[in-house]
Amino acid sequence: MSKLDAVIFDLDDTLYPERSFVLSGFHAVAKWVEHTLAIPEEKTARELEAMYRQGVRGHTFRLWLEQQAVDGQRDELVQQMVAVYREHEPILTLFDGIPELLSDVGQRCKLGLITDGYLTVQKRKWESLHLDDAFHTVVFSDMFGRQHWKPSCVPFEAALRTLQIAPEAALYVGDNPAKDFLGARQLGMKTIRFRSFGGEYALAEPQSSRHAPDVTVDNVQCLRAYLFNL
């Protein structure tokens, strides 16, 4: 890793499986539903998970309420369910091998993190992973406004500035080809796609050559091998 002064990571589906956050959120919502609508928690959680596996995104709670024939105050119920989902305290687990990788890489260069998403939600995810001591900087792009979520260069520039590292000496590891690599590459950073099995964007392909990473790996062992052979 003699050519690198910093490795900067994405969070969701790069350090931990995002699916685990989604499912923990569904269970929090299911518990709230049982208390509010008297629908059994197990039934709600099972049905929400089934919708997720079927690819439902964006309007999950509204569609579920329609299936339950819940008509009164549906908009208000959806808002409350979204709030419960976003505000729940998740219990997340890193991908196997990530703790050891962070420890080993961190002995050789600086570590950073850049993550998109609503600030309070991403902070809860980050806090649940207990990684503060391993990283030299953590950038929540929502602090700059949603217009500066990735692929904006702004969060990358903020991380590099805090780390005091030139873009050419830094590498970014992410999972989503729609936004993770364009801004980093525009600044001159190296990029790796961590394409984990079952990840939210595992099947997505880059929109153009500018959106493509320099390298793609599909497991932590390959990521380690690449990083330590630079």
Side-chain angles (χ1 to χ4, degrees):
M1 297 182 63
S2 58
K3 297 180 182 179
L4 286 180
D5 292 327
V7 177
I8 303 173
F9 291 86
D10 174 44
L11 179 59
D12 302 315
D13 271 338
T14 300
L15 295 184
Y16 83 99
E18 186 173 9
R19 181 177 184 273
S20 63
F21 174 80
V22 173
L23 298 185
S24 72
F26 285 166
H27 280 276
V29 169
K31 184 175 294 186
W32 179 89
V33 164
E34 182 172 74
H35 176 75
T36 306
L37 301 176
I39 299 174
E41 178 182 344
E42 295 79 6
K43 174 182 182 297
T44 301
R46 182 174 64 252
E47 291 174 352
L48 290 174
E49 290 176 23
M51 294 172 71
Y52 180 75
R53 289 195 299 272
Q54 292 162 10
V56 176
R57 302 289 188 274
H59 302 287
T60 305
F61 300 140
R62 183 174 297 279
L63 291 173
W64 181 83
L65 287 170
E66 291 174 357
Q67 293 175 3
Q68 311 308 310
V70 176
D71 295 320
Q73 299 180 319
R74 187 178 294 168
D75 288 345
E76 182 179 341
L77 288 171
V78 169
Q79 291 176 5
Q80 292 174 327
M81 293 169 77
V82 169
V84 170
Y85 178 87
R86 290 179 178 170
E87 295 170 9
H88 86 282
E89 298 294 340
I91 300 175
L92 307 177
T93 302
L94 297 167
F95 283 117
D96 289 343
I98 285 292
E100 295 81 6
L101 177 66
L102 295 177
S103 176
D104 292 343
V105 173
Q107 294 179 37
R108 293 164 171 79
C109 66
K110 294 180 179 180
L111 296 183
L113 181 124
I114 300 172
T115 181
D116 281 351
Y118 295 107
L119 181 61
T120 56
V121 175
Q122 297 308 106
K123 280 189 172 181
R124 286 192 182 91
K125 293 176 182 177
W126 179 248
E127 290 165 0
S128 76
L129 293 170
H130 306 290
L131 288 174
D132 278 328
D133 292 342
F135 282 75
H136 295 84
T137 188
V138 176
V139 176
F140 298 98
S141 60
D142 200 36
M143 294 182 69
F144 305 105
R146 189 163 185 174
Q147 71 274 22
H148 292 305
W149 288 13
K150 296 174 290 181
S152 167
C153 291
V154 169
F156 295 100
E157 290 170 335
L160 292 169
R161 187 165 54 249
T162 302
L163 294 171
Q164 297 183 311
I165 298 296
E168 297 78 12
L171 179 146
Y172 188 70
V173 184
D175 69 296
N176 183 355
K179 64 178 186 176
D180 275 331
F181 312 115
L182 179 61
R185 293 187 64 190
Q186 286 175 335
L187 293 176
M189 298 172 64
K190 303 175 182 67
T191 57
I192 297 180
R193 181 181 183 183
F194 182 58
R195 196 171 192 167
S196 62
F197 176 78
E200 186 70 15
Y201 302 102
L203 301 180
E205 296 298 336
Q207 301 171 28
S208 69
S209 59
R210 297 186 305 127
H211 291 79
D214 296 313
V215 175
T216 296
V217 298
D218 59 11
N219 58 65
V220 176
Q221 291 73 27
C222 289
L223 177 58
R224 169 185 284 276
Y226 182 82
L227 288 176
F228 284 93
N229 280 284
L230 282 173

